[in-house]
Amino acid sequence: MPKVKTNSGAKKRFALTGTGKIKRKHAYKSHILTKKTKKQKRRLTHFSLLDKANVDSVKSMLGLK
């Protein structure tokens, strides 16, 4: 049986927490920042957890399933 290859794009974008949940960064923080408010940019800085609907597909991309 061959080894399961991880998706190299997914391993750069997602990380596992200690409890096994998957954390992700927010989108829209990379460019065109002049028209966004300070509050909006500050909120986009923090990590958030992945939605339940996407957990299975991301786990398979990371080779965890």
Side-chain angles (χ1 to χ4, degrees):
M1 184 127 174
K3 290 182 181 178
V4 177
K5 285 195 173 183
T6 60
N7 184 309
S8 59
K11 69 184 175 188
K12 294 170 193 170
R13 287 172 172 83
F14 302 106
L16 280 175
T17 62
T19 55
K21 295 175 183 170
I22 301 172
K23 61 181 185 175
R24 64 170 181 87
K25 282 189 79 168
H26 285 277
Y28 309 113
K29 183 74 199 300
S30 57
H31 60 95
I32 314 175
L33 298 173
T34 52
K35 59 177 80 170
K36 293 171 187 144
T37 62
K38 288 179 190 175
K39 184 177 182 180
Q40 188 179 2
K41 289 185 276 191
R42 189 169 58 244
R43 284 180 174 177
L44 291 173
T45 301
H46 305 296
F47 281 86
S48 65
L49 294 177
L50 199 64
D51 195 58
K52 270 191 273 184
N54 301 318
V55 168
D56 289 337
S57 60
V58 172
K59 277 190 175 181
S60 66
M61 283 192 271
L62 293 173
L64 300 172
K65 202 166 185 191

